[in-house]
Amino acid sequence: MNPLHKFGKQAIFSYLVIWFVGSLWMMAVLGSGSYQQKVMGVDFALYHEYASFGFAGALGGALYGLRMFHEHYQELTTQWIYWYLMRPVLCFGSAIITIILFESGIMLLQVADSMSARISIAFLTGYGYGKFMEKLRDLTTTFFNGKNTNGTNGNGGGGSGGDTPK
């Protein structure tokens, strides 16, 4: 029996709604500054901004997941369960990394240096996770396989890419 027939679709929907509402709630809690405890050794007073970016990314990922769930409800098969379960989690992490890449100057974007601008970027990273991964792939290709001035490929050798064994 297909696990999606009985309660699978309701479970996926509930999971995404919990991530969506939970992310909004956690962003409000972190934004209020009322949560000043350590969780698993992490001091939230130091990292509450990054946690807010992560939850903004998870919010975007959950919203996109809910949209896809709605659009493809009839075609939903078990092969997509992993995609729906991992989407908010992956978007949480990628949103934080996006903000770090922008703050470091590796990725350039002309936006105001405000909390709301960074949360917006984090949300868009979560919502457009697939496009973000394409850009990240392009960035790593440029950094690690790009050509330099002496005609080599930048990895110390003259011919093969950095990911191929010799």
Side-chain angles (χ1 to χ4, degrees):
M1 175 185 218
N2 187 346
L4 290 176
H5 285 302
K6 191 127 178 139
F7 295 112
K9 290 181 180 179
Q10 293 88 348
I12 291 171
F13 178 76
S14 298
Y15 175 79
L16 291 172
V17 167
I18 289 169
W19 264 103
F20 184 81
V21 173
S23 294
L24 282 172
W25 183 77
M26 283 302 297
M27 288 174 60
V29 167
L30 292 168
S32 71
S34 62
Y35 194 77
Q36 300 294 328
Q37 297 177 354
K38 287 186 178 184
V39 175
M40 297 190 310
V42 176
D43 186 2
F44 269 99
L46 298 174
Y47 298 107
H48 77 279
E49 285 186 2
Y50 290 109
S52 295
F53 304 146
F55 283 114
L59 178 68
L63 180 62
Y64 188 81
L66 286 166
R67 182 179 146 231
M68 289 295 104
F69 182 83
H70 173 73
E71 287 181 13
H72 302 286
Y73 183 81
Q74 297 303 325
E75 301 95 34
L76 191 61
T77 62
T78 55
Q79 72 183 20
W80 290 100
I81 291 174
Y82 180 75
W83 185 91
Y84 283 105
L85 294 178
M86 289 306 297
R87 179 81 186 202
V89 176
L90 295 172
C91 293
F92 184 98
S94 63
I96 294 171
I97 294 302
T98 300
I99 298 303
I100 292 171
L101 289 171
F102 280 124
E103 288 178 347
S104 70
I106 291 174
M107 293 178 78
L108 302 175
L109 184 65
Q110 296 289 332
V111 294
D113 189 27
S114 67
M115 186 68 166
S116 61
R118 292 183 286 175
I119 285 176
S120 299
I121 291 169
F123 173 82
L124 291 173
T125 299
Y127 192 81
Y129 175 75
K131 297 290 183 192
F132 168 74
M133 292 309 291
E134 290 174 16
K135 292 297 180 188
L136 195 58
R137 185 179 13 244
D138 292 344
L139 182 63
T140 56
T141 299
T142 300
F143 270 14
F144 301 115
N145 291 336
K147 301 287 184 197
N148 63 19
T149 57
N150 63 7
T152 63
N153 63 4
N155 65 1
S160 67
D163 290 337
T164 56
K166 296 186 179 180

